[in-house]
Amino acid sequence: MNRPDTEVLASWGPSNTWTIGWHLADRAAHLPDRPFLAIGTDPADTFRQAHEHATRLASRLAGTGIRPGDFVLVMAPTTKATVYGWFALSLLGAVDVPLNPAYRGQTLVHGVNLPAARVLLADSAALHRLYEVAARLHTLQTVVLIDDSPAPAPPPEARFQVVRLADLPEHPYSPATPRHSDLSTVLYTSGTTGPAKGVMMTHAQTHTIARECIEGLRITGEDVFYCFHPLFHMAGRFGAVYSALVAGCPVVLDPVFDPATWIDRIRACNATVSIAHGPMIEMIHRQPRRPDDADNPLRALLAAPLPAAIGADFERRFAVRALETWGMTEVTACCWRPYDSELRPGSAGRPRDDLVEIAIVDPETDEVLPPGQVGEITVRPRHPWIIMQGYFGMPEQTVRAWRNLRFHSGDAGYLDADGHLYFVDRLGDRIRRKAENISSYDIEYAAATYPGVLECAAVGVPASHSEDEVKLYLRCSDNSAVDLRDLFTHLVANLPHSMVPRYIELVDELPRTPTDKIRKQALRERGVTATTWDYKAAGLSIRQISQQLESASPREGTA
């Protein structure tokens, strides 16, 4: 049961301790020789070494003129230098703005220009992408390279200087003492219908995410946190690294995710807690079973979400407690499956009522809906400063998200009579067919079980003002070998009739956001094309196929 509102924040200590800098200094003082940060298979740095690296970097960066409250961009892969660069900016009181290293073109221009930052920390590989758009970067003055790899020569249109961090002299500075209400980070969320939005996060909010993970996973100094999420993502940045810093335990970061070696890495790291998103869990689950899958040190996995169709088997197979959560960069990881509770397939657990109020509202009227009725998930904080302060430079988006004094998540879901939250779909991904709202997830899960399917996306294409037809996009290992009639029969066998797609289209690739999410809006807008397969035009009948499947299936009492 959640603690009373007045107790939860008090247990976290005074609000002036809710910063990276405070915890880094405290761990260096009290746990100096305990291992803290490892990247891949490299040896871990201790808390004392981490503090020394971060303070040294801060003294060098101070010479670039960074002051408390300045926005500073970070565009680099998962390395120790990237982590310590982030810590150094916190020590200087700057607001760090992480960029996906894969950004390029207009996406990169938007990410750099929106906060009007003067300084960007990067690795040498990022320079190629920056130089491609150099003429369109209006406020950037200095790129600080945090690695020693060879760097390309700048084009004539580049108006920013490039310097090596190692070449900057050290400057005396006093560690910043920001308030918990000051901005800590601007974290970009992937835009599916427009440019990425910069979520303004306070020190209180980032600290809240770390505390939620510590309490939800019951992390102590004896644990080892394994994570493969990137550092421009909420999960890797605050869910793993910051949580480990606050808990005083080691964290191991892998720069890439490989489902085939996941369980081997868990054992090699002696990891006791980890984190994974739904598609990653599915990829791990699809790996060939081994007789020793359950022989591993992992006790708890933060799952966001835990796919309902495989959740129970995943827990049994790997002998792990998979704790499903719901949350967003904007509102933290504010809903958890209680640690000792039984698995409820499809449930994201119970809201952290001591931190937030979650209500399901009618998307059209914002009126609160009764238990069991699907609507939009909205969040209201019970304490100041613990969820986002708005979208940077996007007042209209902020007002739209915060209408009627609730943050509107854009997620569809419901609360059951016991107060458990069930995520249904993104509102924009919701498909209305035969007077029912159906989830794209169920369709995609069925399609993904067909041999040769690499990835898929289901969307609704308009059939009338209030009804959709389902269209399924598929990328397969060999598109030319796919028998669409056989695939359609597979879908009829695995889905309710209302969910069976009318249209199927094979594609070589699916459009994606910079954070690798499928851009379903673009797929909806594509609609029905000349290359779209239509089961009705092919002369097929769902009812007839279903009857044939039923007649071919063994019945009770028959041989």
Side-chain angles (χ1 to χ4, degrees):
M1 180 177 295
N2 290 330
R3 289 167 289 180
D5 298 351
T6 55
E7 293 183 9
V8 60
L9 299 192
S11 70
W12 297 352
S15 61
N16 63 354
T17 67
W18 298 357
T19 65
I20 290 282
W22 187 91
H23 283 288
L24 188 61
D26 183 76
R27 299 299 172 260
H30 296 98
L31 303 170
D33 299 321
R34 178 174 291 180
F36 169 49
L37 177 66
I39 307 293
T41 58
D42 290 344
D45 285 351
T46 65
F47 282 105
R48 176 169 52 199
Q49 289 171 325
H51 184 252
E52 290 172 350
H53 285 307
T55 53
R56 188 177 305 114
L57 263 60
S59 70
R60 294 181 186 276
L61 291 173
T64 65
I66 296 173
R67 298 292 181 266
D70 285 354
F71 292 89
V72 180
L73 301 152
V74 181
M75 185 178 178
T78 300
T79 66
K80 287 181 180 178
T82 306
V83 175
Y84 297 146
W86 161 33
F87 287 1
L89 294 176
S90 184
L91 291 173
L92 293 172
V95 180
D96 66 283
V97 187
L99 301 178
N100 185 337
Y103 275 3
R104 71 185 319 157
Q106 178 55 34
T107 303
L108 178 56
V109 171
H110 170 74
V112 172
N113 285 347
L114 182 64
R118 297 180 299 103
V119 179
L120 184 152
L121 308 188
D123 71 334
S124 299
L127 278 180
H128 294 279
R129 301 178 187 274
L130 292 166
Y131 285 159
E132 288 173 352
V133 295
R136 297 155 64 190
L137 304 180
H138 305 307
T139 63
L140 187 61
Q141 298 177 7
T142 303
V143 173
V144 180
L145 298 182
I146 59 177
D147 66 344
D148 56 4
S149 299
E157 60 269 24
R159 296 189 291 270
F160 52 84
Q161 63 171 334
V162 178
V163 298
R164 296 273 182 191
L165 181 61
D167 295 334
L168 294 176
E170 295 188 18
H171 285 255
Y173 76 99
S174 297
T177 56
R179 297 170 297 180
H180 69 294
S181 55
D182 290 339
L183 284 188
S184 161
T185 300
V186 172
L187 204 61
Y188 283 111
T189 63
S190 57
T192 55
T193 58
K197 301 185 289 291
V199 178
M200 295 190 289
M201 309 176 75
T202 65
H203 289 279
Q205 181 179 353
T206 59
H207 185 258
T208 295
I209 296 169
R211 290 288 184 175
E212 288 168 336
C213 292
I214 289 169
E215 295 172 5
L217 295 169
R218 295 187 178 177
I219 302 173
T220 72
E222 304 304 313
D223 283 300
V224 177
F225 203 133
Y226 171 68
C227 180
F228 42 75
H229 289 273
L231 292 171
F232 57 84
H233 193 282
M234 164 184 159
R237 196 174 192 81
F238 307 122
V241 177
Y242 199 0
S243 292
L245 178 63
V246 175
C249 75
V251 59
V252 180
L253 303 178
D254 268 353
V256 296
F257 168 60
D258 182 359
T261 62
W262 176 79
I263 193 64
D264 299 318
R265 292 294 294 137
I266 292 291
R267 294 192 183 105
C269 301
N270 198 33
T272 57
V273 293
S274 188
I275 183 172
H277 286 171
M280 296 171 172
I281 293 172
E282 291 175 338
M283 286 187 277
I284 293 167
H285 188 260
R286 285 199 294 266
Q287 297 305 306
R289 292 176 182 266
R290 306 181 192 177
D292 62 346
D293 277 343
D295 183 14
N296 68 78
L298 195 66
R299 62 169 179 81
L301 175 73
L302 187 162
L306 177 65
I310 63 172
D313 184 63
F314 190 93
E315 285 196 325
R316 287 191 299 268
R317 176 178 171 183
F318 295 106
V320 65
R321 190 181 300 272
L323 301 170
E324 184 162 1
T325 67
W326 178 87
M328 301 175 67
T329 304
E330 290 91 335
V331 297
T332 77
C334 55
C335 188
W336 284 74
R337 170 189 170 189
Y339 193 90
D340 292 323
S341 68
E342 294 296 321
L343 176 66
R344 293 189 180 210
S347 170
R350 298 179 63 91
R352 284 291 306 260
D353 290 331
D354 50 354
L355 296 175
V356 301
E357 173 192 287
I358 290 182
I360 308 300
V361 304
D362 185 306
E364 301 297 328
T365 67
D366 275 353
E367 295 177 352
V368 177
L369 298 174
Q373 192 164 336
V374 175
E376 184 173 13
I377 304 172
T378 66
V379 181
R380 179 184 290 166
R382 296 191 185 277
H383 308 279
W385 311 112
I386 66 169
I387 71 174
M388 84 155 186
Q389 300 307 296
Y391 296 117
F392 185 83
M394 296 182 175
E396 297 86 357
Q397 296 272 20
T398 300
V399 171
R400 187 177 300 116
W402 272 107
R403 66 182 182 272
N404 290 321
L405 302 181
R406 294 184 183 276
F407 175 79
H408 289 66
S409 69
D411 282 355
Y414 65 92
L415 288 164
D416 68 13
D418 296 327
H420 290 81
L421 179 69
Y422 288 79
F423 169 82
V424 174
D425 215 331
R426 289 291 294 172
L427 282 172
D429 295 344
R430 184 178 58 181
I431 303 169
R432 181 79 171 173
R433 188 179 185 192
K434 300 186 184 301
E436 293 182 13
N437 293 326
I438 59 178
S439 168
S440 60
Y441 171 82
D442 295 322
I443 303 168
E444 291 160 1
Y445 183 83
T449 62
Y450 187 78
V453 172
L454 299 178
E455 58 181 354
C456 54
V459 299
V461 292
S464 68
H465 292 298
S466 59
E467 294 284 315
D468 291 331
E469 288 284 2
V470 180
K471 181 176 181 182
L472 178 66
Y473 289 88
L474 295 167
R475 184 174 73 86
C476 302
S477 54
D478 184 358
N479 284 350
S480 63
V482 177
D483 182 340
L484 289 176
R485 287 174 174 260
D486 186 63
L487 168 62
F488 184 75
T489 299
H490 171 82
L491 294 172
V492 173
N494 287 276
L495 287 171
H497 292 183
S498 63
M499 291 189 182
V500 176
R502 174 174 175 176
Y503 303 114
I504 300 175
E505 186 165 338
L506 301 175
V507 295
D508 293 327
E509 61 181 6
L510 293 169
R512 294 186 177 276
T513 69
T515 52
D516 212 38
K517 295 179 182 178
I518 295 172
R519 295 180 57 240
K520 289 193 173 182
Q521 181 63 28
L523 295 177
R524 280 190 290 273
E525 292 172 354
R526 190 180 300 180
V528 178
T529 70
T531 58
T532 301
W533 184 84
D534 178 357
Y535 84 80
K536 292 186 177 180
L540 300 179
S541 163
I542 294 176
R543 184 182 299 275
Q544 289 179 359
I545 292 174
S546 180
Q547 291 173 345
Q548 292 169 3
L549 291 169
E550 289 176 1
S551 63
S553 299
R555 298 182 181 276
E556 291 184 7
T558 63

